[in-house]
Amino acid sequence: MQKIKSLMARQGLKSPQESMADLSPVENLRIPSKEELRELREQPIDPQAEQEIIDSIEEVYFSNDSFDMVQHELEKLPPELNLQELEEYRDKLKRQQAAVSKKVADLILEKQPAYVKELERVTALQTNLQLAAVICTNARRQLSVAKEGFTEASLGLLANQRRRQLLTGLLKSLRTIKTLQRTDVRLSEMLEEEDYPGAIQLCLECQKAASTFKHYSCISELNSKLQDTLEQIEEQLDVALSKTCKHFDVSHYTKVQLAYTLLGKTQTAMDQLHMHFTQAIHNTVFQVVLGYVELCAGNADTKFQKMQYKDLCTHITPDSYIPCLTDLCKALWEVMLSYHHTMQWHEEHDKQETTPTPEDAAAAESDELAVDRSYVKKKLEHGLTRIWQDVQLKVKAYILGTDMSNFKYDDFIVVLDVISRLMQVGEEFCGSKSEVLQESIKRQSVNYFKNYHRARLEELRMFLENETWELCPVKSNFNIAQLHEFKFMGQCRSPSVSPSRQAASLSSSAQEELSLFQQYQREGNPFEMHMEHKEEETEDVLASNGYESDELEKSVYQDYDSDSDVPEELKQDYVDEQTGDAPLKSVPRETMRTKKKSDYNLNKTNAPILTNTTLNVIRLVGKYMQMMNILKPIAFDVIHCVSQLFDYYLYAVYTFFGRNDMYESSGLGLISSRLRTTLNRIQESLIDMEAVGENAGVHGPAEDRKEKVPSPHLSQLVVLTNSGTLYGLAQRVVATESLVFLAEQFESLQSHLDAMMPAAKKPFLQQFYSQTVSTASELRKPIYWIVAAKAIDYEQMLLMMAGVKWDIREIMSQHNVYVDVLLKEFEQFNKRLGEVSRHVRIPLPVSNVLWEHCIRLANRTLVEGYANVKKCSNEGRALMQLDFQQFLMKLEKLTDLRPIPDKEFVETYIKAYYLTENDMEQFIKNHREYSMKQLANLVNVCLGSHINKKARQKLLAAIDDIDRPKR
């Protein structure tokens, strides 16, 4: 029964008495008593009226239990109270209360039977519940007995065992979870140690373990954390991969590749690697150039950092251009060397992994690896060209970013040298011919070389116009290979683009067999050598005071002084019959005494005859060849300019010393048709004939004059009219022989120039050598002819010959005086020649040409003198022969020239005096070397008295026919 009550209490049920007790005090107060109820029932009340009274009650009384009706009624009272109204209102409220009370009483009486019945049921239920409580108490007592006897002893043991197993598994899981929670610390340590494969392996194992315990709520967070850690490892791995682009380390790269293999992203790694190489090239060149630009700018302006690389290159100053270029190439070399090492690593790695595996699973795995290796190999091979293309474009932007037309030659050569070495790197790197670099450097080279050559031609003109044509003292063993500008020919210091330009020297051949990547695989840089070689070259080509040594000078003077016992005739001789190879002091004393003409070059060794200007031209040729050796694409342009240097020098020597219209028209063929063609070509193509004054030059307004140079003018210090110096013979010898020496040097360089020349342009080079260089020695004739024509007074000899009587009647045993006078002139010429040779060595070919010209002019003067004879007898003809034989005999003592030039020319003319009419006609046809006047004299003087007028007219007509074509 107590349980039912408690149940009712939990459900909020109350007994009717309790329910009545819960009514409010007012309501409790208003419940009518039994007497009141009886009175109310006894009072007759109309139900309708009662209902109306209830309806008249305000709604607010029915609102809720917490309604305070007293307060409500008090608030309704008016401000001024009326007792009568209040009593009336009170009566109304009493009627309403009575109606409500009566209604409530009626309802209670109506429900009372049901209430009594229900109360009886509740009492019965309470009795049943008390019985149930007794039963439950007995059951519990019996269950406790069973529990003590069976459950705690047996089933409790099994339950504890099961719980133990569960707890053991839980403990294991918790330990694993604890280990997983601490994994991030170990992963951080491994990443700091750059143990990427170990970190990835650990992370993957943790992920696998985490998937096993994913039913724990803490593991889901750990799983996402591991995934973030794995992504972080990949990011750090990507950074580590990018580091290999500049400084390749085998162990480092092996770790990175193994890590990517564990991730299964070998192909992705290769794609990323190439992207990093591209980025490394860009960042490297940008940082190098930016560093120099900011250094030169000298301020902390950040505008340069925002510039594009191409624009940044335009801010490099000329002073920092070469150091920046060198550092740029060094940095790019490091990138390419890293790529080369990367390829080597993969090649060696592939060889190690290509071992056959018979197992099926391993075979399937090897197939996958083979696909990866194939992809990597193709990617790397394709990347070679791509990376080299990037390098070329970056260097091209740098090359074209600066105008190099005003660079110094040595600086420009260094630029070409560096770029050429870079192109060699490119060829070894990927077999590329570096068209991009070649085109860009060709553009700069052509632009630079045009300006440089134009300035050098102007400089050459200035040198020539200020040249006094004094001998430049050089050693007897002087060779152009001793000059700094030609060192490259022996050392092959400048690298080449093609294998044909590899070094030829035996000392460097072994090293040349190794590629640059092999030479500098461990350390060093191929672009470090250029600055080191800049100042190491020295020259030793000049002789002190014109002599190679003080001992030689002393020896020479001793030899000269000890020759006082040599006859005067030998002292005046000058022709050097030695080969020119051995110095003079090595010639025995007996040889000097027996050989003539050695005195004239006694004070000089057989050193080459050249001037400062000649040396300058040779140096220029060396510089031009250096440029050709480094940069073949402009070889033709450079060789064309080299030819212009020689052309201008040749033209200047001819203009200064060989141009004389009076002597050129002598009819002796002093200037060959080939030389004449060459001089005309030079004048048309190179000489600016319209230039007037000193300031007019190649920069004139006319477009076709830009490539031309004004004709040079001989220095006023050079005097060519003094007979005491044989009309400037020393200067003429120096000028002419320096040109011949220059031609010889060009001949020695022909094979080198030919090797550099493009095949299509080689005919130009051949033509230049055959029509220009080979004509240098031909200038000797017109230049020395002027000296020979003025050195001897041929007009005086003609006048003296005109005074000789040739129609004598007896044989004369004494020659005429004009022969002695002529020989005296030759002795005086020989003496002057000896004086000149004390200052300038006169080579044998020069002395031969001089003597040949003088003798030829003398012989032709003799013939001209004989042709002026009006009357001549047979005895007179014998006297002519006597005079000529005397002249020859004395002349042969003065010169070693054999045979005497034009000897037959005189003898044949003299003998023609004895010819008959028929023989004379044949003589006229066969000997066209004589002038019309000379032939006419033979007809008129020799045959005049023996033939009739008709025959004479016939012979004169034959002479006229011969002369007509000449006119």
Side-chain angles (χ1 to χ4, degrees):
M1 192 64 182
Q2 293 296 327
K3 285 191 176 183
I4 294 176
K5 287 183 179 180
S6 64
L7 180 62
M8 291 173 64
R10 285 199 299 271
Q11 298 298 327
L13 300 176
K14 297 180 181 179
S15 63
Q17 294 86 351
E18 291 171 339
S19 297
M20 292 300 293
D22 286 340
L23 295 175
S24 65
V26 178
E27 291 173 343
N28 208 8
L29 184 62
R30 296 301 178 191
I31 297 174
S33 61
K34 293 182 180 180
E35 289 78 8
E36 287 176 341
L37 289 174
R38 189 180 302 113
E39 290 176 1
L40 288 174
R41 282 194 301 268
E42 291 176 354
Q43 292 178 4
I45 297 176
D46 184 6
Q48 184 176 0
E50 185 182 349
Q51 185 65 40
E52 288 176 357
I53 292 172
I54 293 174
D55 292 340
S56 65
I57 299 174
E58 293 181 24
E59 290 292 331
V60 70
Y61 283 94
F62 302 102
S63 58
N64 51 45
D65 295 340
S66 62
F67 174 65
D68 189 355
M69 60 188 69
V70 176
Q71 183 69 25
H72 175 69
E73 291 301 333
L74 290 175
E75 289 176 354
K76 287 172 60 178
L77 291 177
E80 295 181 4
L81 300 175
N82 190 330
L83 182 60
Q84 187 177 354
E85 291 178 357
L86 285 174
E87 288 178 350
E88 290 177 358
Y89 185 66
R90 185 193 64 184
D91 293 339
K92 178 182 177 182
L93 288 175
K94 283 183 176 182
R95 286 193 300 270
Q96 289 177 348
Q97 182 185 11
V100 170
S101 296
K102 185 178 183 298
K103 185 71 172 175
V104 171
D106 290 343
L107 290 173
I108 291 173
L109 291 174
E110 183 182 350
K111 298 294 183 179
Q112 187 173 8
Y115 172 74
V116 174
K117 185 178 180 181
E118 187 65 32
L119 190 59
E120 292 176 353
R121 288 178 61 197
V122 169
T123 304
L125 180 61
Q126 185 177 6
T127 303
N128 292 333
L129 288 174
Q130 288 176 350
L131 180 59
V134 173
I135 295 171
C136 286
T137 301
N138 295 330
R140 286 183 177 178
R141 186 172 59 253
Q142 293 174 1
L143 283 173
S144 62
V145 174
K147 178 180 178 182
E148 290 175 2
F150 176 74
T151 305
E152 291 182 358
S154 300
L155 295 179
L157 184 63
L158 293 175
N160 288 337
Q161 178 63 24
R162 182 171 178 271
R163 179 187 292 180
R164 180 183 176 184
Q165 290 177 348
L166 290 174
L167 290 175
T168 304
L170 179 61
L171 182 62
K172 186 177 180 181
S173 299
L174 289 174
R175 286 175 178 169
T176 306
I177 292 172
K178 183 179 180 181
T179 305
L180 292 176
Q181 294 286 2
R182 295 179 178 177
T183 303
D184 55 343
V185 178
R186 178 56 185 154
L187 284 174
S188 301
E189 293 176 354
M190 297 178 81
L191 290 177
E192 289 178 2
E193 296 169 0
E194 295 186 346
D195 185 9
Y196 303 109
I200 292 174
Q201 187 74 36
L202 178 59
C203 195
L204 292 176
E205 290 176 358
C206 288
Q207 278 190 327
K208 185 176 180 181
S211 64
T212 306
F213 301 102
K214 62 183 179 181
H215 51 280
Y216 295 106
S217 58
C218 61
I219 291 298
S220 59
E221 297 178 2
L222 179 63
N223 209 4
S224 60
K225 186 178 180 181
L226 286 172
Q227 187 62 35
D228 293 340
T229 304
L230 191 61
E231 292 176 1
Q232 182 185 354
I233 292 174
E234 287 191 38
E235 291 176 2
Q236 292 196 23
L237 197 58
D238 192 52
V239 174
L241 184 65
S242 66
K243 292 180 181 178
T244 63
C245 296
K246 292 184 179 179
H247 304 289
F248 184 87
D249 181 75
V250 176
S251 60
H252 178 77
Y253 188 74
T254 304
K255 290 180 183 178
V256 172
Q257 282 296 323
L258 181 58
Y260 274 110
T261 304
L262 291 173
L263 289 173
K265 295 184 176 182
T266 306
Q267 298 184 10
T268 306
M270 195 49 55
D271 296 336
Q272 287 292 106
L273 181 63
H274 282 80
M275 185 186 72
H276 287 312
F277 268 107
T278 302
Q279 191 67 27
I281 291 172
H282 174 75
N283 293 342
T284 299
V285 296
F286 187 85
Q287 290 301 323
V288 170
V289 176
L290 178 64
Y292 276 92
V293 169
E294 290 181 340
L295 183 65
C296 297
N299 54 27
D301 194 351
T302 58
K303 68 176 183 179
F304 297 118
Q305 296 179 357
K306 299 176 182 178
M307 283 187 175
Q308 294 291 329
Y309 170 73
K310 190 174 182 180
D311 298 328
L312 195 64
C313 291
T314 60
H315 288 78
I316 289 290
T317 61
D319 292 338
S320 61
Y321 188 86
I322 292 178
C324 182
L325 176 63
T326 306
D327 288 347
L328 199 67
C329 292
K330 285 180 181 179
L332 290 172
W333 162 261
E334 294 296 338
V335 176
M336 288 187 285
L337 182 63
S338 295
Y339 195 88
H340 181 75
H341 286 322
T342 303
M343 291 196 67
Q344 280 187 331
W345 186 93
H346 281 280
E347 288 175 1
E348 294 173 0
H349 192 66
D350 290 347
K351 290 178 181 177
Q352 294 174 2
E353 289 190 352
T354 52
T355 54
T357 52
E359 295 83 0
D360 294 340
E365 186 178 351
S366 65
D367 290 341
E368 185 177 350
L369 290 174
V371 172
D372 285 343
R373 281 199 298 269
S374 176
Y375 178 85
V376 168
K377 184 178 180 181
K378 290 180 180 178
K379 192 75 177 178
L380 286 171
E381 290 174 352
H382 176 70
L384 283 171
T385 307
R386 178 182 164 188
I387 287 175
W388 177 241
Q389 190 69 14
D390 288 343
V391 171
Q392 285 190 90
L393 292 174
K394 297 299 180 185
V395 178
K396 175 186 177 182
Y398 183 84
I399 292 172
L400 299 181
T402 302
D403 182 12
M404 291 189 275
S405 58
N406 296 319
F407 272 34
K408 294 179 181 178
Y409 174 81
D410 290 338
D411 291 342
F412 190 73
I413 284 297
V414 171
V415 173
L416 292 184
D417 208 15
V418 172
I419 298 301
S420 181
R421 177 58 65 104
L422 184 62
M423 287 191 283
Q424 184 183 2
V425 170
E427 184 175 7
E428 294 182 4
F429 185 67
C430 63
S432 170
K433 296 301 179 184
S434 307
E435 291 82 3
V436 175
L437 278 180
Q438 286 199 31
E439 182 59 31
S440 58
I441 200 66
K442 181 181 179 182
R443 279 171 55 186
Q444 283 285 30
S445 298
V446 170
N447 181 39
Y448 172 83
F449 194 73
K450 284 182 178 178
N451 292 330
Y452 181 79
H453 179 62
R454 190 179 296 121
R456 298 292 77 75
L457 281 177
E458 276 297 308
E459 188 180 81
L460 179 58
R461 179 171 74 94
M462 181 187 70
F463 282 159
L464 289 169
E465 290 182 346
N466 291 280
E467 178 63 69
T468 57
W469 302 102
E470 297 291 337
L471 197 64
C472 177
V474 294
K475 293 186 176 183
S476 60
N477 63 346
F478 170 74
N479 189 289
I480 59 173
Q482 299 168 353
L483 296 177
H484 170 70
E485 288 78 6
F486 289 91
K487 293 292 183 183
F488 75 95
M489 292 173 58
Q491 299 176 356
C492 285
R493 180 171 147 264
S494 302
S496 60
V497 177
S498 60
S500 61
R501 284 201 248 163
Q502 292 296 329
S505 61
L506 294 176
S507 61
S508 62
S509 61
Q511 188 173 357
E512 287 295 331
E513 292 177 0
L514 297 175
S515 69
L516 293 175
F517 289 98
Q518 293 172 328
Q519 292 180 40
Y520 303 100
Q521 185 172 8
R522 297 299 177 192
E523 57 182 358
N525 196 297
F527 298 97
E528 291 175 350
M529 60 182 289
H530 301 283
M531 305 307 294
E532 299 170 0
H533 287 282
K534 205 168 184 180
E535 300 296 336
E536 68 180 16
E537 309 293 350
T538 57
E539 295 179 350
D540 184 20
V541 296
L542 297 180
S544 58
N545 299 323
Y547 299 91
E548 294 191 38
S549 65
D550 294 338
E551 290 75 12
L552 178 58
E553 182 177 3
K554 183 178 178 181
S555 171
V556 167
Y557 281 119
Q558 287 175 350
D559 287 347
Y560 182 74
D561 293 340
S562 64
D563 278 345
S564 56
D565 58 334
V566 178
E568 187 67 24
E569 187 177 84
L570 287 181
K571 287 185 181 181
Q572 293 175 355
D573 295 337
Y574 72 97
V575 178
D576 182 12
E577 293 185 356
Q578 299 302 308
T579 59
D581 295 330
L584 180 66
K585 67 177 183 179
S586 64
V587 181
R589 184 68 54 85
E590 293 75 10
T591 305
M592 291 180 60
R593 291 183 178 180
T594 55
K595 287 187 178 287
K596 302 178 182 180
K597 307 0 169 220
S598 59
D599 238 2
Y600 289 161
N601 60 350
L602 189 62
N603 66 331
K604 297 288 180 182
T605 60
N606 292 331
I609 298 177
L610 69 159
T611 65
N612 288 328
T613 305
T614 317
L615 206 55
N616 182 60
V617 172
I618 293 174
R619 290 184 186 277
L620 276 181
V621 172
K623 290 179 177 179
Y624 285 17
M625 289 182 66
Q626 261 187 300
M627 195 173 295
M628 281 188 290
N629 185 57
I630 296 173
L631 198 65
K632 270 196 170 181
I634 66 165
F636 173 71
D637 300 305
V638 179
I639 288 180
H640 178 69
C641 294
V642 168
S643 70
Q644 288 185 341
L645 294 176
F646 186 85
D647 288 347
Y648 196 68
Y649 193 89
L650 183 146
Y651 186 83
V653 172
Y654 166 73
T655 305
F656 293 167
F657 304 105
R659 177 178 283 174
N660 193 307
D661 295 336
M662 181 180 73
Y663 297 113
E664 286 182 15
S665 60
S666 62
L668 294 178
L670 297 176
I671 299 182
S672 65
S673 59
R674 184 175 62 165
L675 180 57
R676 174 70 60 197
T677 303
T678 298
L679 292 171
N680 290 339
R681 176 188 61 77
I682 295 173
Q683 183 169 307
E684 291 174 5
S685 63
L686 188 60
I687 307 303
D688 185 3
M689 303 304 293
E690 299 179 14
V692 180
E694 289 293 326
N695 295 327
V698 294
H699 303 293
E703 189 69 25
D704 57 345
R705 289 171 58 189
K706 286 186 177 181
E707 304 298 329
K708 294 186 177 183
V709 193
S711 180
H713 304 287
L714 184 64
S715 172
Q716 295 180 352
L717 299 176
V718 180
V719 180
L720 301 179
T721 56
N722 187 356
S723 61
T725 61
L726 277 181
Y727 306 95
L729 177 61
Q731 287 84 0
R732 293 176 190 272
V733 169
V734 171
T736 310
E737 299 313 306
S738 67
L739 174 65
V740 173
F741 176 77
L742 186 61
E744 291 172 354
Q745 305 315 304
F746 267 79
E747 292 284 355
S748 68
L749 295 173
Q750 184 175 3
S751 60
H752 294 279
L753 294 175
D754 188 69
M756 299 177 187
M757 192 67 137
K761 301 293 185 180
K762 286 190 177 183
F764 168 82
L765 188 65
Q766 295 170 357
Q767 186 179 18
F768 168 67
Y769 271 93
S770 61
Q771 298 186 7
T772 305
V773 176
S774 61
T775 60
S777 59
E778 295 180 11
L779 272 181
R780 285 171 171 162
K781 284 189 176 182
I783 290 175
Y784 297 137
W785 171 267
I786 297 174
V787 176
K790 292 181 178 180
I792 295 176
D793 192 353
Y794 302 103
E795 293 296 327
Q796 179 188 4
M797 189 173 69
L798 280 177
L799 292 175
M800 293 183 68
M801 291 180 70
V804 177
K805 186 177 181 181
W806 300 102
D807 56 346
I808 55 178
R809 296 299 176 188
E810 58 182 13
I811 302 281
M812 301 296 292
S813 60
Q814 182 64 31
H815 58 273
N816 284 305
V817 180
Y818 73 87
V819 176
D820 294 328
V821 173
L822 180 59
L823 288 171
K824 197 71 177 175
E825 289 275 343
F826 271 100
E827 289 175 359
Q828 187 67 24
F829 170 72
N830 195 20
K831 183 178 180 181
R832 290 178 183 174
L833 209 55
E835 293 173 355
V836 171
S837 69
R838 296 181 185 276
H839 303 286
V840 177
R841 178 176 66 87
I842 301 179
L844 181 61
V846 177
S847 65
N848 287 344
V849 170
L850 281 168
W851 278 102
E852 180 184 350
H853 284 335
C854 289
I855 296 171
R856 194 182 296 276
L857 282 170
N859 286 338
R860 289 181 180 271
T861 304
L862 287 174
V863 172
E864 188 66 21
Y866 295 150
N868 291 333
V869 174
K870 303 299 181 183
K871 293 182 181 180
C872 183
S873 62
N874 290 333
E875 290 77 10
R877 295 181 200 119
L879 182 58
M880 290 180 186
Q881 286 183 328
L882 178 64
D883 291 346
F884 186 61
Q885 290 301 323
Q886 178 67 21
F887 172 67
L888 289 178
M889 183 179 67
K890 294 290 186 182
L891 185 64
E892 286 176 351
K893 294 180 180 181
L894 293 176
T895 178
D896 285 340
L897 189 63
R898 300 292 184 273
I900 298 297
D902 281 353
K903 176 182 176 182
E904 293 80 4
F905 183 78
V906 181
E907 291 177 343
T908 303
Y909 190 81
I910 294 175
K911 291 177 182 177
Y913 279 83
Y914 301 101
L915 297 177
T916 61
E917 177 183 348
N918 294 333
D919 293 335
M920 181 59 72
E921 184 176 359
Q922 189 64 32
F923 179 87
I924 291 170
K925 292 179 180 179
N926 294 337
H927 294 275
R928 299 189 179 189
E929 66 270 17
Y930 298 105
S931 67
M932 183 179 176
K933 173 189 172 185
Q934 293 168 350
L935 293 174
N937 180 267
L938 289 176
V939 174
N940 293 326
V941 176
C942 302
L943 300 178
S945 57
H946 304 300
I947 58 175
N948 56 31
K949 184 178 181 180
K950 183 178 180 181
R952 184 161 56 252
Q953 292 296 331
K954 179 182 177 183
L955 290 173
L956 291 176
I959 294 172
D960 189 59
D961 290 340
I962 293 172
D963 189 62
R964 190 175 290 115
K966 297 180 182 180
R967 292 177 289 178

